[in-house]
Amino acid sequence: MELNSKIPEGPVEKKWDNHRFNMKLVNPANKRKYHIIVVGTGLAGASAAASLAELGYNVTAMSYHESPRRAHSIAAQGGINAPKNYKNDGDSIWRLFYDTVKGGDFRAREANVYRLAQVSNSIIDQCVAQGVPFAREYGGLLDNRSFGGAQVSRTFYARGQTGQQLLLGAYSALERQIGKGQVKFFDRREMLDLVVIDGQARGVITRNLRDGSIESHVADAVILGTGGYANTFYLSTNAKACSGTAIWRAHKRGALFANPCYTQIHPTCIPVASDYQSKLTLMSESLRNDGRIWVPKKVGDKRNAKDIPEDERDYYLERRYPSFGNLVPRDVASRNAKAVCDEGRGVGDTGLAVYLDFADAIKRNGKAWVEEKYGNLFDMYHEITNENAYETPMRIYPAVHYTMGGLWVDYNLMSTIPGMYVLGEANFSDHGANRLGASALMQGLADGYFVIPYTIGDYLASSKFPKVGTDHAAFKDAQRGVDELIEKLISTRGTKTVDEFHKELGKIMWDYCGMGRNEAGLKKALELIPKLRDEFWKNVRVPGSSKSINPELEKAGRVADFMELAELMCQDALHREESCGGHFREEYQTEEGEAKRNDERFSYAAAWEFNGIGQPEVLNKEPLTFENVKQAQRSYK
Amino acid sequence: MNITLEAWRQPDQKSAGQFVKYKATDISPDMSFLEMLDAVNTMIVKRGEDPIAFDHDCREGICGSCGMVINGRPHGTERGVATCQLYMRHFKEGDTITLEPWRAKAFPVLKDLVVDRTSLDRIIQAGGYVSVDTGGVPDANCIPISKVIAEEAMDAAACIGCGACVAACQNSSAMLFVSAKVSQLALLPQGYAERKQRVEKMVAQMDAEGFGGCTNTLACEAECPKKISVTHIARLNREYLIAKVG
Ligand SMILES: Cc1cc2nc3c(=O)[nH]c(=O)nc-3n(C[C@H](O)[C@H](O)[C@H](O)COP(=O)(O)OP(=O)(O)OC[C@H]3O[C@@H](n4cnc5c(N)ncnc54)[C@H](O)[C@@H]3O)c2cc1C
Ligand code: SF4
Ligand code: FES
């Protein structure tokens, strides 16, 4: 398939302006004649739905949650970036652009990243106008902090609840439009298929989770803001319901899936305690600003942290990366934690943890200071582990956190299916092979508030929309397909629960497609996954009926999709014979153990085309060119 | 440890419900409350029965999805945590734990422990926002706000919309929830222009949804997982008075 990224002409800093001028506009009086479906109302979906409704479009929004306010975005803690340069520390749009391209290990599209940096300042303005209570200085102006591998302070935050406050801002804008009748919101609806008619996305099929009924929704364009697929690994920092279902089913309808293997492993999570663990809790990365990470120098040193003298501790990040120290990007921090644990120097009962120590910060600034800055995180840590981190260092370990991969989109955020757009974590666009901290919130809101309202108009104004209804054969077929799938899940009546299958899949993925990957392991995973999938379809037990609230059935559908998506992730990881960002192929590393890219062979986005379940997918390449940031080996030394 | 659950089972909104007993064995004190429920549900599924339905998502106390009345107390006896942040180490060997859904006219039970809280969204629709469209807003630092006020607004904004305050209240009042939003926007200059309509419309919607009136029992504050203070109710009352008289 020919991939046209539609990157506008001109120098990178002019592209978005030029493009906005060149795009067709929909006459204000005509906007209400267009109907747009927004699936997912996290940051990306809610901001898009509200903004499009404000412009006058007719919007249908839906979410499998009971309310838009429950989306996974609510859990983001740390903050959101914008190069306001309020701190006078040398920040600029160019620097944010540069940092993001470099942070993504040169696997993102320059033009998109530049636009992201460009519009990010407006996000902060918008949120403040909505009443988002960002942290402030005594003088009344906004406070910033440095975060996740940046050397400037450009992160805006609202305590440890930035995602919550930003989502509540977008939610309030959305509720305002729902109140006005400009958006019709369907709660507890799960999108289970995309309907494509004559090559255009024209609607979706949903299951009403309240009573199990299968519904059709028609529109002129469909927007997916359905989040990431980190839960393929079962254990991750994502909320329990996060899934790949919407994007996977759209993929099966023809949308290419780009860079599925790019997953982010977050370095600072509370370690796994045991088998019953249902999810992993992130400890905000901001802790790395003041906490020091270390392990014992000696292998197998089981003494308590406080009994290990200073000169027998290895502050390995500070040692290896003197200029960035504990603030190296996430992929680097995670890999190093794994490496020291693999050497046998990990701490805690399982040996799969490293210390994050605040003793020096407490000595320097006092306990009260630490408490004011991080008190809620220390409380959370205590609640979960029953340990007091003011007295003994926290134990942390990397966990699956975010997926940089997603549906392929062009510069307009349109997928390879005309009329279907993908926003937020669900698309692949801006973070390359590694996302920097505080930039997912920025991207989700950039997409929703400031990109899609323009780009969708161009499509609507320049396309024809033959009248279709839910009685169209394509809707009937899709409905039937969904019904059959559900029936199959319910009627299997096997012996293993959905969670048991999901845990097994997660373990395969973590072992072979996790922080370190190699050819043999990936090939092994590619044998194990189809076997597990076969067993799933023969032996899964889904109790209850399809015509009522049935959480087990909901999970079963999602796990069925993860089983297919997992295979593609491994296929992508196997084909990419280089290390870049979060994708670390053990065969390809520098002498110091850093990721070694192969720009000659792999400077492209890998966009995969579905080819039948269990069949290898077809690879399409979008070459990436770097005209503004020189492709170099990342160095944080 | 071993415990007994007495869980409310109700197949759907129309049917009557009842308590059903389940034995939970081999529960580790380090399990979260919801992980304990997962374990019980796995056992129920293995027996070929319908597991206990409950809402949950983030499992870290921020999305507001989870929520059940545990031994008569919304979100259980620990202060300042949501159900998902409760750990089994707070229970004892041999305990019997009763589980019920939020009970309020404005929160109909959909199944077992799952209730419909969309009434809270409709209150927000009535006025829980600042009327700004996307674009055309001033630079963020054009609106200076004192740190003290910003922090107080943040205290109110921390509400997760779980509805425990309603479940805790003998009148099923949503006053703490409503006041948290009214207060946040009343404290901030951005909310000033619409302050009168906002409080009137939100209170009117609260009444229309069938939530009861507030008689200052303070039960809501005691059960709120985010420790939202009743001082916000006092502020709401002031705002309401200003709207009515001025
Ligand atoms: C613990 C944690 C902390 C984080 N902290 C930060 C941070 O500090 N800074 C930062 O920038 N990023 C952070 N992130 C990442 C960031 O929160 C997410 O990437 C971002 O919020 C995703 O937003 P979204 O709108 O794309 O998707 P989501 O918020 O996941 O929303 C997805 C929406 O789609 C709906 N949906 C999904 N599938 C379907 C379907 N099939 N049918 C119907 N509806 C569906 C859901 O109901 C939901 O409404 C964090 C992530 C985690 C896990
Ligand atoms: S005020 Fe407290 S109890 Fe009530 S909805 Fe908000 S967080 Fe829940
Ligand atoms: S599951 Fe999100 S608050 Fe409990």
Side-chain angles (χ1 to χ4, degrees):
Chain A
M1 184 184 287
E2 190 62 47
L3 287 172
N4 182 353
S5 57
K6 307 233 173 89
I7 298 172
E9 292 300 313
V12 73
E13 64 276 19
K14 287 275 162 41
K15 285 183 193 294
W16 181 229
D17 284 352
N18 289 347
H19 191 55
R20 281 196 297 178
F21 181 72
N22 290 328
M23 279 187 291
K24 281 198 185 145
L25 297 173
V26 178
N27 170 327
N30 281 342
K31 288 205 172 94
R32 68 190 147 77
K33 294 184 190 150
Y34 291 105
H35 192 150
I36 301 167
I37 290 175
V38 180
V39 186
T41 45
L43 281 175
S47 57
S51 304
L52 292 168
E54 288 159 7
L55 287 172
Y57 293 110
N58 250 310
V59 177
T60 291
M62 56 182 71
S63 156
Y64 52 48
H65 291 102
E66 67 168 340
S67 161
R69 69 181 296 154
R70 310 254 185 255
H72 166 60
S73 292
I74 202 101
Q77 303 170 351
I80 176 167
N81 285 334
K84 288 273 195 186
N85 196 30
Y86 284 163
K87 290 280 185 186
N88 197 31
D89 56 1
D91 205 3
S92 64
I93 291 173
W94 193 270
R95 187 179 292 280
L96 176 56
F97 160 63
Y98 176 90
D99 286 354
T100 308
V101 170
K102 176 183 169 203
D105 217 355
F106 305 94
R107 290 293 175 263
R109 214 185 264 151
E110 275 192 345
N112 281 57
V113 177
Y114 192 88
R115 176 179 62 192
L116 174 65
Q118 223 172 352
V119 303
S120 62
N121 283 331
S122 307
I123 298 173
I124 304 303
D125 301 341
Q126 188 64 34
C127 296
V128 167
Q130 290 167 342
V132 169
F134 282 121
R136 292 190 177 254
E137 315 249 23
Y138 281 101
L141 301 183
L142 291 160
D143 191 16
N144 286 143
R145 61 182 172 199
S146 78
F147 193 80
Q151 286 181 314
V152 290
S153 279
R154 61 160 75 103
T155 304
F156 294 79
Y157 65 102
R159 291 198 191 141
Q161 288 133 271
T162 316
Q164 179 198 29
Q165 294 311 314
L166 296 177
L167 182 61
L168 292 180
Y171 159 80
S172 69
L174 175 58
E175 291 296 333
R176 175 170 161 244
Q177 295 303 320
I178 296 172
K180 285 182 169 176
Q182 198 65 35
V183 176
K184 196 160 165 30
F185 181 70
F186 291 88
D187 67 281
R188 296 187 193 264
R189 296 302 199 287
E190 182 160 23
M191 170 189 156
L192 295 179
D193 209 351
L194 176 80
V195 179
V196 183
I197 298 176
D198 296 332
Q200 286 175 306
R202 293 304 302 272
V204 298
I205 308 293
T206 57
R207 177 165 182 270
N208 181 342
L209 306 181
R210 288 161 169 259
D211 60 15
S213 53
I214 305 297
E215 308 157 327
S216 290
H217 306 261
V218 188
D220 300 310
V222 175
I223 296 172
L224 303 186
T226 50
Y229 51 93
N231 278 351
T232 313
F233 291 82
Y234 185 69
L235 284 181
S236 83
T237 60
N238 283 204
K240 290 295 284 178
C242 290
S243 77
T245 288
I247 54 173
W248 187 252
R249 299 207 181 171
H251 174 57
K252 289 166 102 171
R253 289 278 174 199
L256 299 199
F257 203 124
N259 304 334
C261 79
Y262 290 169
T263 38
Q264 176 162 81
I265 316 278
H266 196 293
T268 56
C269 302
I270 298 180
V272 176
S274 68
D275 299 343
Y276 50 73
Q277 189 108 22
S278 61
K279 76 158 291 202
L280 295 171
T281 304
L282 176 75
M283 296 308 290
S284 171
E285 187 158 44
S286 59
L287 291 168
R288 285 203 275 149
N289 285 333
D290 293 294
R292 298 180 68 196
I293 295 176
W294 64 276
V295 290
K297 280 189 179 157
K298 252 199 333 251
V299 169
D301 189 340
K302 287 287 162 202
R303 286 176 290 175
N304 284 332
K306 64 175 186 328
D307 300 330
I308 302 179
E310 202 54 34
D311 62 347
E312 293 181 41
R313 300 175 174 192
D314 180 13
Y315 295 89
Y316 56 89
L317 291 178
E318 297 170 25
R319 173 171 59 79
R320 297 193 60 190
Y321 309 95
S323 75
F324 278 70
N326 292 298
L327 291 176
V328 290
R330 292 174 177 176
D331 54 338
V332 179
S334 292
R335 249 186 333 267
N336 276 278
K338 178 176 188 294
V340 295
C341 292
D342 288 350
E343 286 166 23
R345 298 195 287 144
V347 302
D349 292 343
T350 58
L352 290 177
V354 300
Y355 287 128
L356 177 61
D357 197 339
F358 284 83
D360 283 347
I362 293 174
K363 221 182 288 159
R364 195 174 60 235
N365 298 320
K367 186 177 163 203
W369 183 87
V370 172
E371 209 169 337
E372 192 201 312
K373 262 184 115 161
Y374 305 112
N376 62 333
L377 295 167
F378 279 59
D379 289 349
M380 190 158 111
Y381 184 78
H382 178 249
E383 193 53 52
I384 294 173
T385 61
N386 212 18
E387 283 173 25
N388 181 347
Y390 295 103
E391 278 157 22
T392 54
M394 282 182 185
R395 285 172 298 109
I396 54 162
Y397 198 67
V400 180
H401 179 59
Y402 181 90
T403 46
M404 281 76 70
L407 292 185
W408 185 91
V409 289
D410 64 16
Y411 187 75
N412 297 317
L413 305 182
M414 186 150 90
S415 68
T416 49
I417 300 176
M420 189 185 85
Y421 291 79
V422 192
L423 320 183
E425 192 172 339
N427 74 25
F428 89 113
S429 66
D430 299 351
H431 308 293
N434 173 56
R435 176 174 72 77
L436 292 178
S439 56
L441 303 181
M442 168 172 80
Q443 183 225 332
L445 290 179
D447 289 358
Y449 284 136
F450 298 113
V451 179
I452 193 73
Y454 298 93
T455 57
I456 206 168
D458 187 43
Y459 170 75
L460 294 171
S462 51
S463 313
K464 294 240 171 328
F465 299 95
K467 212 172 154 34
V468 298
T470 54
D471 52 354
H472 190 283
F475 277 95
K476 293 277 171 234
D477 285 349
Q479 271 214 2
R480 203 171 318 117
V482 165
D483 273 330
E484 281 166 12
L485 194 86
I486 290 173
E487 194 40 47
K488 203 166 146 199
L489 287 169
I490 288 270
S491 60
T492 300
R493 301 280 175 211
T495 59
K496 256 161 87 171
T497 66
V498 176
D499 281 351
E500 285 170 329
F501 279 109
H502 197 176
K503 283 181 190 179
E504 269 181 59
L505 177 69
K507 180 146 184 359
I508 297 173
M509 291 302 284
W510 180 246
D511 288 347
Y512 301 116
C513 196
M515 256 189 291
R517 304 157 171 189
N518 59 52
E519 185 182 342
L522 289 163
K523 286 190 167 153
K524 176 107 198 237
L526 285 168
E527 272 170 35
L528 295 173
I529 295 166
K531 275 196 203 135
L532 186 65
R533 192 167 58 224
D534 284 347
E535 193 199 338
F536 175 86
W537 284 109
K538 288 194 189 105
N539 195 26
V540 70
R541 168 171 293 190
V542 181
S545 114
S546 61
K547 294 293 168 226
S548 71
I549 293 187
N550 188 341
E552 287 294 313
L553 175 61
E554 294 163 26
K555 279 194 294 192
R558 294 169 198 157
V559 172
D561 292 333
F562 285 139
M563 294 264 185
E564 294 171 17
L565 172 52
E567 198 174 348
L568 180 62
M569 290 166 74
C570 294
Q571 191 188 340
D572 185 40
L574 181 64
H575 114 281
R576 192 168 279 278
E577 293 174 336
E578 65 162 352
S579 295
C580 55
H583 169 65
F584 191 70
R585 279 285 299 267
E586 285 155 359
E587 305 94 316
Y588 308 99
Q589 48 182 307
T590 63
E591 268 166 31
E592 294 98 45
E594 304 296 343
K596 196 163 151 201
R597 287 196 325 265
N598 183 339
D599 292 335
E600 241 158 68
R601 286 183 60 205
F602 292 103
S603 208
Y604 60 78
W608 298 91
E609 197 175 332
F610 186 73
N611 197 23
I613 298 167
Q615 298 303 313
E617 299 212 355
V618 179
L619 175 63
N620 298 270
K621 298 178 184 175
E622 180 201 338
L624 297 170
T625 48
F626 294 85
E627 289 162 3
N628 299 281
V629 185
K630 198 168 152 279
Q631 263 178 312
Q633 164 83 31
R634 282 196 307 166
S635 167
Y636 295 95
K637 293 273 172 202
Chain B
M1 57 196 202
N2 302 302
I3 50 162
T4 305
L5 288 186
E6 282 193 27
W8 183 257
R9 302 303 310 261
Q10 178 175 335
D12 53 46
Q13 198 172 334
K14 289 182 204 94
S15 315
Q18 57 175 359
F19 284 102
V20 177
K21 259 197 193 147
Y22 299 95
K23 291 256 178 262
T25 50
D26 288 333
I27 299 300
S28 154
D30 287 331
M31 275 184 177
S32 74
F33 195 81
L34 297 186
E35 282 163 357
M36 179 275 292
L37 269 181
D38 290 343
V40 172
N41 272 343
T42 301
M43 178 195 83
I44 298 177
V45 173
K46 293 265 180 195
R47 285 205 309 237
E49 296 164 22
D50 202 20
I52 306 167
F54 61 95
D55 267 333
H56 65 101
D57 198 21
C58 72
R59 297 202 173 194
E60 48 191 65
I62 193 74
C63 73
S65 299
C66 66
M68 46 193 91
V69 179
I70 302 167
N71 289 337
R73 302 273 304 269
H75 293 307
T77 47
E78 294 300 300
R79 284 213 60 186
V81 295
T83 302
C84 58
Q85 296 169 290
L86 197 59
Y87 279 77
M88 292 311 291
R89 65 180 83 95
H90 300 300
F91 295 87
K92 289 192 310 294
E93 170 67 33
D95 273 359
T96 295
I97 303 172
T98 60
L99 287 181
E100 287 172 84
W102 288 171
R103 300 214 188 259
K105 191 171 133 212
F107 291 162
V109 175
L110 297 177
K111 182 177 182 180
D112 301 340
L113 306 174
V114 179
V115 300
D116 182 356
R117 288 169 288 196
T118 50
S119 46
L120 297 181
D121 293 322
R122 288 189 292 273
I123 297 176
I124 299 294
Q125 278 160 34
Y129 47 75
V130 177
S131 295
V132 287
D133 287 352
T134 303
V137 299
D139 182 86
N141 261 350
C142 287
I143 315 174
I145 300 170
S146 98
K147 186 174 165 77
V148 181
I149 297 288
E151 291 292 321
E152 216 178 327
M154 181 61 215
D155 286 340
C159 163
I160 58 175
C162 63
C165 45
V166 178
C169 176
Q170 60 188 33
N171 310 321
S172 301
S173 173
M175 201 61 158
L176 194 61
F177 168 81
V178 178
S179 73
K181 192 44 80 184
V182 167
S183 192
Q184 176 200 342
L185 296 179
L187 281 160
L188 299 173
Q190 298 94 307
Y192 192 82
E194 294 170 283
R195 100 191 243 219
K196 290 184 185 168
Q197 306 94 291
R198 176 177 305 115
V199 65
E200 284 189 317
K201 285 190 188 159
M202 289 179 76
V203 169
Q205 189 63 34
M206 171 173 79
D207 293 342
E209 294 289 344
F211 290 102
C214 171
T215 51
N216 291 311
T217 65
L218 312 191
C220 52
E221 183 186 89
E223 305 295 10
C224 172
K226 293 293 145 185
K227 301 186 183 162
I228 305 287
S229 152
V230 291
T231 55
H232 298 298
I233 297 187
R235 184 171 292 110
L236 181 150
N237 286 331
R238 272 200 310 279
E239 290 291 310
Y240 195 73
L241 207 69
I242 294 168
K244 286 292 174 203
V245 299

